[in-house]
PDB file of all heavy atoms in Angstrom:
ATOM      1  N   VAL O  75      30.237  -3.626  -2.868  1.00 91.00           N
ATOM      2  CA  VAL O  75      30.198  -4.078  -1.460  1.00 91.00           C
ATOM      3  C   VAL O  75      31.588  -3.633  -0.846  1.00 91.00           C
ATOM      4  O   VAL O  75      31.609  -3.063   0.239  1.00 91.00           O
ATOM      5  CB  VAL O  75      29.970  -5.543  -1.315  1.00 91.00           C
ATOM      6  CG1 VAL O  75      30.251  -5.953   0.069  1.00 91.00           C
ATOM      7  CG2 VAL O  75      28.575  -5.895  -1.782  1.00 91.00           C
ATOM      8  N   THR O  76      32.698  -3.971  -1.510  1.00 94.00           N
ATOM      9  CA  THR O  76      34.020  -3.646  -1.016  1.00 94.00           C
ATOM     10  C   THR O  76      34.136  -2.159  -0.784  1.00 94.00           C
ATOM     11  O   THR O  76      34.638  -1.674   0.287  1.00 94.00           O
ATOM     12  CB  THR O  76      35.094  -4.131  -1.987  1.00 94.00           C
ATOM     13  OG1 THR O  76      34.827  -5.461  -2.394  1.00 94.00           O
ATOM     14  CG2 THR O  76      36.458  -4.098  -1.319  1.00 94.00           C
ATOM     15  N   THR O  77      33.765  -1.365  -1.813  1.00 94.00           N
ATOM     16  CA  THR O  77      33.927   0.078  -1.641  1.00 94.00           C
ATOM     17  C   THR O  77      33.101   0.728  -0.534  1.00 94.00           C
ATOM     18  O   THR O  77      33.630   1.508   0.250  1.00 94.00           O
ATOM     19  CB  THR O  77      33.522   0.756  -3.028  1.00 94.00           C
ATOM     20  OG1 THR O  77      34.334   0.235  -4.036  1.00 94.00           O
ATOM     21  CG2 THR O  77      33.655   2.255  -2.953  1.00 94.00           C
ATOM     22  N   PHE O  78      31.831   0.269  -0.416  1.00 94.00           N
ATOM     23  CA  PHE O  78      31.044   0.820   0.659  1.00 94.00           C
ATOM     24  C   PHE O  78      31.609   0.414   2.023  1.00 94.00           C
ATOM     25  O   PHE O  78      31.744   1.320   2.930  1.00 94.00           O
ATOM     26  CB  PHE O  78      29.607   0.386   0.477  1.00 94.00           C
ATOM     27  CG  PHE O  78      28.795   1.323  -0.288  1.00 94.00           C
ATOM     28  CD1 PHE O  78      28.662   1.161  -1.688  1.00 94.00           C
ATOM     29  CD2 PHE O  78      28.172   2.438   0.264  1.00 94.00           C
ATOM     30  CE1 PHE O  78      27.990   2.063  -2.495  1.00 94.00           C
ATOM     31  CE2 PHE O  78      27.467   3.307  -0.536  1.00 94.00           C
ATOM     32  CZ  PHE O  78      27.352   3.154  -1.921  1.00 94.00           C
ATOM     33  N   ALA O  79      31.930  -0.863   2.195  1.00 96.00           N
ATOM     34  CA  ALA O  79      32.430  -1.358   3.476  1.00 96.00           C
ATOM     35  C   ALA O  79      33.744  -0.642   3.808  1.00 96.00           C
ATOM     36  O   ALA O  79      33.950  -0.125   4.942  1.00 96.00           O
ATOM     37  CB  ALA O  79      32.653  -2.814   3.428  1.00 96.00           C
ATOM     38  N   PHE O  80      34.596  -0.550   2.791  1.00 97.00           N
ATOM     39  CA  PHE O  80      35.897   0.111   3.020  1.00 97.00           C
ATOM     40  C   PHE O  80      35.750   1.587   3.442  1.00 97.00           C
ATOM     41  O   PHE O  80      36.330   1.979   4.428  1.00 97.00           O
ATOM     42  CB  PHE O  80      36.669   0.042   1.582  1.00 97.00           C
ATOM     43  CG  PHE O  80      37.940   0.884   1.630  1.00 97.00           C
ATOM     44  CD1 PHE O  80      39.041   0.460   2.206  1.00 97.00           C
ATOM     45  CD2 PHE O  80      37.968   2.139   0.989  1.00 97.00           C
ATOM     46  CE1 PHE O  80      40.259   1.175   2.143  1.00 97.00           C
ATOM     47  CE2 PHE O  80      39.068   2.866   0.958  1.00 97.00           C
ATOM     48  CZ  PHE O  80      40.253   2.414   1.548  1.00 97.00           C
ATOM     49  N   HIS O  81      34.979   2.364   2.731  1.00 96.00           N
ATOM     50  CA  HIS O  81      34.864   3.747   3.061  1.00 96.00           C
ATOM     51  C   HIS O  81      34.216   4.065   4.398  1.00 96.00           C
ATOM     52  O   HIS O  81      34.588   4.950   5.118  1.00 96.00           O
ATOM     53  CB  HIS O  81      34.179   4.531   1.943  1.00 96.00           C
ATOM     54  CG  HIS O  81      35.017   4.758   0.731  1.00 96.00           C
ATOM     55  ND1 HIS O  81      35.076   3.941  -0.356  1.00 96.00           N
ATOM     56  CD2 HIS O  81      36.030   5.676   0.524  1.00 96.00           C
ATOM     57  CE1 HIS O  81      35.966   4.412  -1.237  1.00 96.00           C
ATOM     58  NE2 HIS O  81      36.544   5.419  -0.717  1.00 96.00           N
ATOM     59  N   ILE O  82      33.198   3.224   4.703  1.00 96.00           N
ATOM     60  CA  ILE O  82      32.538   3.391   6.042  1.00 96.00           C
ATOM     61  C   ILE O  82      33.548   3.141   7.174  1.00 96.00           C
ATOM     62  O   ILE O  82      33.718   3.943   8.076  1.00 96.00           O
ATOM     63  CB  ILE O  82      31.339   2.473   6.157  1.00 96.00           C
ATOM     64  CG1 ILE O  82      30.170   2.936   5.248  1.00 96.00           C
ATOM     65  CG2 ILE O  82      30.800   2.439   7.605  1.00 96.00           C
ATOM     66  CD1 ILE O  82      29.098   1.937   4.970  1.00 96.00           C
ATOM     67  N   CYS O  83      34.267   1.969   7.008  1.00 97.00           N
ATOM     68  CA  CYS O  83      35.251   1.667   8.085  1.00 97.00           C
ATOM     69  C   CYS O  83      36.404   2.621   8.101  1.00 97.00           C
ATOM     70  O   CYS O  83      36.900   3.029   9.195  1.00 97.00           O
ATOM     71  CB  CYS O  83      35.737   0.254   7.888  1.00 97.00           C
ATOM     72  SG  CYS O  83      34.440  -1.018   8.018  1.00 97.00           S
ATOM     73  N   LEU O  84      36.858   3.014   6.983  1.00 97.00           N
ATOM     74  CA  LEU O  84      37.984   3.984   6.788  1.00 97.00           C
ATOM     75  C   LEU O  84      37.749   5.275   7.598  1.00 97.00           C
ATOM     76  O   LEU O  84      38.635   5.802   8.196  1.00 97.00           O
ATOM     77  CB  LEU O  84      38.205   4.287   5.312  1.00 97.00           C
ATOM     78  CG  LEU O  84      39.296   5.262   4.933  1.00 97.00           C
ATOM     79  CD1 LEU O  84      40.623   4.590   5.032  1.00 97.00           C
ATOM     80  CD2 LEU O  84      39.055   5.802   3.517  1.00 97.00           C
ATOM     81  N   ILE O  85      36.488   5.797   7.570  1.00 96.00           N
ATOM     82  CA  ILE O  85      36.186   7.023   8.235  1.00 96.00           C
ATOM     83  C   ILE O  85      35.862   6.730   9.705  1.00 96.00           C
ATOM     84  O   ILE O  85      36.323   7.405  10.656  1.00 96.00           O
ATOM     85  CB  ILE O  85      35.042   7.731   7.527  1.00 96.00           C
ATOM     86  CG1 ILE O  85      35.312   7.990   6.043  1.00 96.00           C
ATOM     87  CG2 ILE O  85      34.692   9.058   8.280  1.00 96.00           C
ATOM     88  CD1 ILE O  85      36.465   8.974   5.791  1.00 96.00           C
TER      89      ILE O  85
END
Side-chain angles (χ1 to χ4, degrees):
Chain O
V75 171
T76 312
T77 300
F78 271 91
F80 170 79
H81 283 96
I82 290 167
C83 297
L84 177 76
I85 304 294

